[in-house]
Structures are given as C-alpha cells and as structure tokens.
Amino acid sequence: ELHIKVMGPIQLEILNSVLEERYALKVTFGQPSVIYKETPARAGEGFIAYTMPKPCWAILRFQIEPGPPGSGLVYDSIVRSSDLLPQYQSETARRVPEALQQGLYGWEVTDLKVTLTEGQHHVWHTHPLDFAVATPMGIMDGLARVGTKLLEPILQVRIVVPEENGGRVMNDLVQMRGTFEPPVLQGERMIIEGRLPLATSLDYPVSLSSYTKGRSTFTSFFAGYEECPPDVSAERTRRGVNPLDQAKYILSVRKALQG
C-alpha cells in the first residue's frame, strides 16, 4: 500500500493510466482523504524535566507562538552554551520538526515559531540521546497548553460554464463554503473565479461536468492552507505512542533507541 498526494480524482485517472500503459501495473485507489494541518491557537510554553528513570537528565522549556500563514516552522534558541552544550542544543533542534509531524489531532503542525528558552544537562546523568527523548514531550506539552486550530487546503478555481448554468454554479460555491469574484460574461459563457475548500469540492468537477452536459471547464490549483470554521473537525490516528503519555512514551522510545 502506498500513499500519494494529489489534487483530485482527475489526477488519479491520469496516474492510473500512466502506471498501466508505461509500467503494466494495474492499481486500485481507495477513497481520497483530505490532508489537514494544525497551528497553535495562541502563544504559550512547553516544559519537560526528563530526569527519571535514571540514567537520564534533560530539561527543556519552549516558547511556542503562532506564525503568519505559510511561514512553516521557525526555530530559535536563546539558551547559552554554558547551560546546555551545543551538541545537546543541536539534537534538540533536529528533533523539533519531527515532534511537530503529529499535533493534538494527529496532523502536522505548521505556521509557528518555537524558541528554546531554557535547557539543562547533567554532567553525570545525561545520556547523549536524552534530548531526543525529551524534545517531543516538551513540544507536545506546549501544544496541549496552547491548543491547536485545524487548517484545511484551499483551491483557487476558475469555472467556465454556459450562462444559463451560472446561477447554479454560484449557489454550489456558497454551499461548499467557497468565495468568488463577480462573474464575467464572455458571449454566452460565464467565467467565475474564486476559492474553495478541497474538503467540500473533491467530487465537484464530475458533478459540474454532468449537469452542464460536458460544456464546462473546471481549473484549479493549490492556494495554501486556511483556518477551518469552528464546526469542522478532523482527527487522524496517531502513529506510535503519544508523548503526552510520558511514562509509556519514555518506555517505547528507550526500547526503540536501544534496538
């Protein structure tokens, strides 16, 4: 089983055709699902003191702040190397993006700034991999404190239909939580440009073609992620143990690192 990222059913048809004609592979596709993301709801802190069971010692404090849309992850550290050795800071920085692959709802967390504001190691008890274990717990502690908001993928669309179908198309866009510019008439055809959530419009190109009897065109491209309305919920099953369950997580990660 393979997972692929596509923009809609038409891309699946093309991919299916290419695989069969070029590689003689016959494949089946399951129902597509939307890839959501998460972003912090507000600013706050995450903290972890990973000092048990010995031998271990890693103390971390993160400041987590929402970032501008499309900014991804910005990471910084204001901890002195005398408090936390550079190799431990590097390990922490390396593990932060991994820790953000699964947020409170199981989706990647993006558009945020994470700053390491406190860090401590122990001369005797710190193991080189302690900060690999501690970082996800500190990050998830912070996300649990600040909460996260769901983000959904948005399409920029251009729809061309016979003029008599224009009213229905605009009504469809409203029903799909879309927004659009005033339509433009060109002869007997109407051009409507706007933005649509992918989640509500996965099957719309097929529906549009059907009721316009093939006399329409639907062009779209990915326009980024936007915050979901409060009534939209989507959760993905977490892979592995949640770092919020610290005792179980420490046990599982220690076993994995030893293996």
Side-chain angles (χ1 to χ4, degrees):
E1 181 178 295
L2 294 175
H3 293 248
I4 56 172
K5 293 182 180 180
V6 296
M7 290 293 292
I10 294 174
Q11 285 191 358
L12 286 180
E13 291 177 18
I14 295 170
L15 183 57
N16 190 31
S17 175
V18 169
L19 288 172
E20 187 168 354
E21 292 175 9
R22 193 174 297 175
Y23 303 104
L25 291 173
K26 290 192 174 181
V27 299
T28 56
F29 295 104
Q31 278 295 108
S33 58
V34 177
I35 299 174
Y36 293 86
K37 293 190 178 184
E38 301 176 44
T39 195
R42 58 184 178 84
E45 286 189 341
F47 177 77
I48 180 66
Y50 173 44
T51 58
M52 294 289 288
K54 294 283 187 293
C56 66
W57 190 284
I59 295 177
L60 295 170
R61 188 182 301 275
F62 298 101
Q63 174 73 13
I64 296 175
E65 304 167 84
S71 60
L73 165 65
V74 177
Y75 179 79
D76 192 18
S77 171
I78 58 172
V79 176
R80 295 178 302 181
S81 58
S82 57
D83 292 328
L84 187 61
L85 294 176
Q87 61 262 39
Y88 298 144
Q89 294 210 38
S90 296
E91 184 65 24
T92 300
R94 191 165 74 87
R95 299 290 177 168
V96 167
E98 295 177 10
L100 292 170
Q101 286 301 304
Q102 298 184 93
L104 298 180
Y105 302 109
W107 306 101
E108 178 188 358
V109 185
T110 188
D111 297 346
L112 75 164
K113 181 177 182 181
V114 176
T115 305
L116 182 64
T117 59
E118 179 186 343
Q120 295 177 29
H121 65 277
H122 193 283
V123 175
W124 301 111
H125 295 306
T126 294
H127 183 278
L129 288 172
D130 285 350
F131 290 91
V133 179
T135 300
M137 292 191 288
I139 291 293
M140 283 302 294
D141 176 73
L143 293 178
R145 291 171 188 271
V146 304
T148 61
K149 298 184 290 188
L150 274 180
L151 304 176
E152 63 180 346
I154 301 294
L155 302 178
Q156 180 73 34
V157 300
R158 185 176 191 270
I159 302 170
V160 182
V161 292
E163 185 181 351
E164 64 265 24
N165 297 124
R168 176 168 176 179
V169 169
M170 287 185 282
N171 183 63
D172 289 344
L173 294 178
V174 171
Q175 296 300 316
M176 292 185 287
R177 295 193 282 111
T179 59
F180 53 91
E181 302 295 326
V184 176
L185 280 175
Q186 282 190 358
E188 298 181 349
R189 303 186 71 74
M190 183 177 287
I191 301 171
I192 303 171
E193 296 189 354
R195 295 163 70 86
L196 274 176
L198 177 62
T200 60
S201 59
L202 274 171
D203 299 321
Y204 189 63
V206 176
S207 170
L208 177 68
S209 180
S210 174
Y211 75 69
T212 61
K213 298 180 173 58
R215 296 180 299 151
S216 61
T217 61
F218 181 96
T219 308
S220 66
F221 64 87
F222 175 60
Y225 276 80
E226 292 182 3
E227 186 179 335
C228 289
D231 60 336
V232 173
S233 62
E235 195 160 347
R236 183 166 65 174
T237 303
R238 173 172 285 275
R239 303 181 306 278
V241 179
N242 193 329
L244 287 174
D245 188 348
Q246 293 186 358
K248 193 174 178 182
Y249 175 77
I250 290 169
L251 188 62
S252 69
V253 175
R254 277 193 166 190
K255 283 183 178 178
L257 292 174
Q258 288 169 359

